[in-house]
Amino acid sequence: MDTKVLNGKIIAEELEANISSRVKAYVEKYGKAPLLVTIMVGEDPGSKMYVKMKAKACDRVGISNRVVYLDDTITTEGLLDMIDELNNDEDVDGILIQHPLPRTIDEKMCFDAIALEKDIDGVNSKSFGAVTMGQDAYSAATPAGIMEILKYYDIDVTGKHAVVVGRSPILGKPISMLLLNGDATVTICHSKTQNLADILKTADIVVAACGKPEFIQRDWLKEGVVLIDAGYNKGNIGDISKDAYEIASAYTPVPGGVGPMTITKVLEHTIDSAEKKHELKLIKKLK
Ligand code: NAP
């Protein structure tokens, strides 16, 4: 089988170049760069690493990056006050809450407190609802990245049977809605799904997002399937068994497939948000 490798790294680099030139034009026009604020609570080493990676990515494209470090003794109320302040700060274009948050904090309440126009990571329930209804809002970054990969490689999802394995709020659910909006026929599977292998056998496109190393097996899949592996497990291992690539028409490698797209989409949403802020100001002025 002639198998295409869906290289997210190349797409992310091209997108970053485009974001950089948009940011440059934005700075020339408005005198300052868009601002992304990340809230980091506590000392989780994994979260710290992601925050650093995002800061580096912001530097690469010229987006200003501010990290608010908070002690893990902060309460939900304290965090909500902080979010409120950032929502009302005109200089802030994107707000990102690094998760997971400590268990003492009502994570969902905090996500839902982010203003829709600054929710560049699509964690707010209203963002999810709006994206689902095909309205203007930011989708969660990883699903947005997956759709970008499909678009880049001209993989038309219309009428295709897409099976999503996983239903998390940041990945499985939003990618299912984006595929549905793209006219795919979508089946969402999860840990209670019966006959998963039988369902997967009918899939034209599989999105693996269950967080289980090499869980999806070659003999559960049909020849010619498109494999999108969003899984990222210890040791750079995806959720799909690597020998399944041989029967696929296309697949995203791990690493270098879906992974690089996530931060790039956060950057893109931030410049989108900054540009929209000024468009809205102009519309208000003209009224
Ligand atoms: P999650 O919140 O743990 O959700 C996992 C989902 O998989 C749940 O919906 C769960 O079902 C389902 N699941 C678990 N066992 C299953 C089984 N045996 N059969 C079918 N479904 C099963 O994980 P997540 O945050 O969505 O992340 C999923 C994977 O993507 C992880 O490997 C993560 O590292 C990766 N990820 C990558 C990126 C990136 O930037 N590339 C971003 C985010 C996540 P229930 O709902 O029934 O529990």
Side-chain angles (χ1 to χ4, degrees):
M1 158 125 319
D2 201 9
T3 306
K4 201 186 277 178
V5 181
L6 309 175
N7 188 331
K9 208 161 169 265
I10 287 178
I11 309 171
E13 278 165 13
E14 284 183 21
L15 263 181
E16 270 199 21
N18 177 271
I19 296 164
S20 292
S21 51
R22 282 172 67 191
V23 171
K24 196 163 170 264
Y26 182 93
V27 173
E28 275 164 17
K29 196 166 175 186
Y30 301 111
K32 60 178 156 187
L35 174 61
L36 172 66
V37 177
T38 302
I39 300 175
M40 159 93 200
V41 183
E43 298 284 333
D44 179 67
S47 294
K48 273 188 170 170
M49 191 190 74
Y50 278 120
V51 168
K52 256 193 201 156
M53 277 166 64
K54 279 171 202 154
K56 270 193 188 160
C58 283
D59 287 347
R60 282 199 302 272
V61 298
I63 288 177
S64 296
N65 174 61
R66 193 201 303 162
V67 184
V68 181
Y69 290 98
L70 297 171
D71 199 84
D72 60 8
T73 53
I74 190 151
T75 59
T76 300
E77 289 71 24
L79 197 48
L80 289 173
D81 287 344
M82 169 63 64
I83 295 163
D84 195 42
E85 205 179 292
L86 296 171
N87 282 342
N88 291 310
D89 184 340
E90 228 206 293
D91 286 340
V92 176
D93 297 295
I95 303 171
L96 211 150
I97 301 177
Q98 186 60 45
H99 47 95
L101 287 171
R103 279 161 193 256
T104 44
I105 290 176
D106 187 333
E107 184 173 276
K108 195 172 175 305
M109 198 183 261
C110 293
F111 286 167
D112 285 350
I114 300 173
L116 204 67
E117 67 277 12
K118 299 189 183 190
D119 182 25
I120 45 78
D121 203 18
V123 293
N124 188 314
S125 309
K126 285 198 204 107
S127 298
F128 175 78
V131 170
T132 298
M133 299 309 279
Q135 292 160 357
D136 198 15
Y138 301 108
S139 151
T142 307
I146 293 174
M147 294 308 284
E148 189 78 42
I149 293 174
L150 293 169
K151 191 171 104 190
Y152 185 92
Y153 284 100
D154 277 330
I155 296 172
D156 185 8
V157 304
T158 309
K160 301 278 166 57
H161 184 204
V163 176
V164 178
V165 184
R167 57 173 167 180
S168 73
I170 59 150
L171 196 42
K173 274 188 190 137
I175 187 59
S176 301
M177 293 306 113
L178 292 177
L179 287 164
L180 182 65
N181 288 347
D183 292 331
T185 302
V186 182
T187 301
I188 308 171
C189 301
H190 47 80
S191 67
K192 311 282 187 302
T193 297
Q194 291 176 6
N195 308 322
L196 180 66
D198 293 342
I199 297 169
L200 282 167
K201 206 69 180 173
T202 67
D204 303 304
I205 300 167
V206 171
V207 179
C210 59
K212 292 188 156 300
E214 301 214 1
F215 173 68
I216 295 172
Q217 302 300 305
R218 175 191 165 126
D219 61 0
W220 299 355
L221 302 164
K222 75 175 174 192
E223 184 107 7
V225 66
V226 173
L227 297 175
I228 305 291
D229 194 343
Y232 193 69
N233 308 291
K234 225 175 170 187
N236 280 345
I237 294 171
D239 288 349
I240 301 176
S241 175
K242 284 196 192 315
D243 63 359
Y245 296 168
E246 291 158 19
I247 60 159
S249 58
Y251 72 92
T252 57
V254 181
V258 173
M261 298 302 295
T262 303
I263 292 182
T264 312
K265 276 290 162 186
V266 165
L267 301 176
E268 189 182 53
H269 291 168
T270 306
I271 179 67
D272 285 349
S273 165
E275 287 173 352
K276 270 188 204 149
K277 173 175 75 182
H278 289 284
E279 277 165 29
L280 281 176
K281 269 192 199 165
L282 187 65
I283 292 168
K284 270 188 197 156
K285 248 191 207 167
L286 292 174
K287 270 187 184 168

